[in-house]
Amino acid sequence: MRYEAITWDRLAETLAGHLDASPAAAGDDWLKVGIDGPPAAPGGELAGLLAEALRSRGRAVQVVSTGGFLRPASLRYEYGRQDPDAYYSGWTDTGALWREVFGPLDPGGTGRVLPDLWDPVTDRATRSPYVTLPPRGVLVLHGPFLLGHWFPFDLTVHLRLSPGALARRTEESWTLPAFARYEMEVGPTEAADAVVRADDPRHPAWTGLRT
């Protein structure tokens, strides 16, 4: 796999230009982007830059983090606070994402997206109001393990860290087996439309778009 050096700003502008020139899928009024990567990767930062680049083109954007759709602590920690298998498949409320984020953006949907559902710090519902994403708007969802759920993304970007970089930059080392499992079961570098090498966050490189 060949990588080309790029800056985060130029990456965001390139992705925004691609999205702005891409009509939504037939019968669909919204575009959906997935920025996949571990917490050690700057997925939230890239999502913010992409949102800014899209808004400068006149596109409405809603950025959503999977961190706002974690399941309650009683469910996340059912098998202990440091269970990598639970972290991999049981922490994120994918059902709520389908219901509150993707469902409203289906063809004929209302466009009313819930930006977050659960606060993991207080372990309570956030009670955030719904946000209406107008037609031609873009959803940008970022977080780990996004690929492999059949989420209806129009564009996916995987932020890749080598095993060594991931180990050095991951604060919760007990989660590392979950990312190894993700690599083995999903193969995000092959599944994503674009891969960004982020071992050194100051000097990203990417594969270009495969779509």
Side-chain angles (χ1 to χ4, degrees), residues 11-12 19 36 45 51 55 62 72 74-75 83-86 102 127-128 138-139 158 161 165 168-169 173 193:
L11 174 61
L19 289 163
D36 173 65
E45 290 84 345
R55 288 173 183 137
Q62 180 62 48
S74 60
L75 298 175
D83 185 287
D85 290 326
F102 290 108
R127 302 187 184 279
S128 295
V138 183
L139 166 73
H158 173 63
L161 274 69
R168 289 192 302 273
R169 291 168 53 191
S173 60
D193 297 315

Side-chain angles (χ1 to χ4, degrees), residues 37-173:
E45 290 84 345
L46 178 57
L49 290 172
L50 177 57
E52 290 178 11
L54 285 165
R55 288 173 183 137
S56 72
R57 289 167 166 79
R59 304 297 288 262
V61 184
Q62 180 62 48
V63 177
V64 175
S65 168
T66 59
F69 283 84
L70 295 182
R71 302 172 79 195
S74 60
L75 298 175
R76 297 200 311 275
Y77 302 145
E78 183 178 2
Y79 301 103
R81 289 179 173 269
Q82 297 186 352
D83 185 287
D85 290 326
Y87 176 69
Y88 176 66
S89 61
W91 276 39
T92 301
D93 192 341
T94 56
L97 284 171
W98 277 106
R99 183 179 66 253
E100 304 290 359
V101 178
F102 290 108
L105 304 183
D106 280 342
T110 63
R112 293 181 70 248
V113 173
L114 190 64
D116 51 59
L117 177 66
W118 199 259
D119 185 337
V121 176
T122 63
D123 199 34
R124 295 178 180 273
T126 58
R127 302 187 184 279
S128 295
Y130 285 87
V131 176
T132 299
L133 190 61
R136 298 190 72 249
V138 183
L139 166 73
V140 181
L141 176 67
H142 65 91
F145 314 130
L146 288 185
L147 307 178
H149 293 292
W150 302 102
F151 289 144
F153 292 122
D154 298 287
L155 178 68
T156 53
V157 180
H158 173 63
L159 304 187
R160 179 185 182 276
L161 274 69
S162 67
L166 182 62
R168 289 192 302 273
R169 291 168 53 191
T170 297
E171 295 181 4
E172 304 287 349
S173 60

Side-chain angles (χ1 to χ4, degrees), residues 8-55:
W8 293 111
D9 286 333
R10 187 156 61 90
L11 174 61
E13 288 291 338
T14 301
L15 295 174
H18 171 78
L19 289 163
D20 196 38
S22 301
D28 197 349
D29 289 325
W30 299 276
L31 289 170
K32 301 111 178 169
V33 181
I35 298 179
D36 173 65
E45 290 84 345
L46 178 57
L49 290 172
L50 177 57
E52 290 178 11
L54 285 165
R55 288 173 183 137

